[in-house]
Amino acid sequence: MDIDLEELATMVGLLKDAEFTEFRYEKADMRLVISRGAAPTNAEASPVRALGKPAVALPSAPAVQPAKVQPTAAAPASHEGAEVVRTPLLGTFYASPKPGEAPFVRVGDRVEARTVLCIVEVMKLMNSVEAGCSGVVVAIHAEDGQLVESGQALFSIVAGDA
């Protein structure tokens, strides 16, 4: 893993005064997550902690590109028994791979655990969000181009053929 320490120092300097709870950075085969506050809930993240310092973890999040779709439901609790897919980081929600293209998924689409549902852009880095479970998308809780916070509900998925 080749880390450009000057580039990393510049990013840390920018983040020092910024308000965020989680920041993800990807470049080639390097992936870096910096979290503030509680340890990340991402099962694949393994934080390294120092008192008063941000946590650093190495997750896996493939990169992609942006587009447009409207939300279909505002409350994740609106579908009983639904799995709620939440954003792993603060950023801009995009429902399509590129502007003008069809969204990754629509309400009623059947998805598998590895199906890409959307992307969340953080500082020009595109992070894909996968379903994490199999089922049918019953609600989209974010609006295309909307700023989403770490842990915010994005999709509701019901197992089976809802």
Side-chain angles (χ1 to χ4, degrees):
M1 183 180 326
D2 187 24
I3 298 175
D4 181 343
L5 295 178
E6 186 175 318
E7 183 178 15
L8 185 59
T10 301
M11 281 190 292
V12 169
L14 291 170
L15 293 172
K16 190 166 131 181
D17 297 322
E19 289 195 30
F20 71 96
T21 54
E22 185 171 289
F23 170 77
R24 290 183 185 221
Y25 176 78
E26 272 189 61
K27 185 173 183 181
D29 64 343
M30 183 186 78
R31 292 184 185 100
L32 173 72
V33 173
I34 301 172
S35 297
R36 287 188 177 156
T41 57
N42 186 343
E44 56 204 47
S46 55
V48 176
R49 287 227 167 257
L51 261 181
K53 306 266 184 191
V56 178
L58 300 174
S60 67
V64 195
Q65 295 290 325
K68 308 269 181 222
V69 122
Q70 295 296 317
T72 57
S78 62
H79 297 279
E80 195 171 317
E83 288 285 329
V84 177
V85 178
R86 298 180 184 281
T87 181
L89 53 135
L90 172 76
T92 305
F93 172 86
Y94 292 107
S96 309
K98 293 182 182 171
E101 287 190 7
F104 288 105
V105 296
R106 291 186 166 94
V107 170
D109 286 355
R110 181 151 223 355
V111 296
E112 300 302 321
R114 304 282 306 188
T115 302
V116 173
L117 301 175
C118 67
I119 56 175
V120 176
E121 176 190 7
V122 180
M123 294 181 68
K124 304 291 183 205
L125 297 173
M126 304 302 168
N127 300 279
S128 58
V129 176
E130 295 178 348
C133 63
S134 297
V136 176
V137 176
V138 293
I140 301 172
H141 305 293
E143 187 175 325
D144 194 57
Q146 173 185 348
L147 180 66
V148 292
E149 294 190 27
S150 182
Q152 180 176 333
L154 298 178
F155 297 88
S156 290
I157 298 173
V158 173
D161 299 323

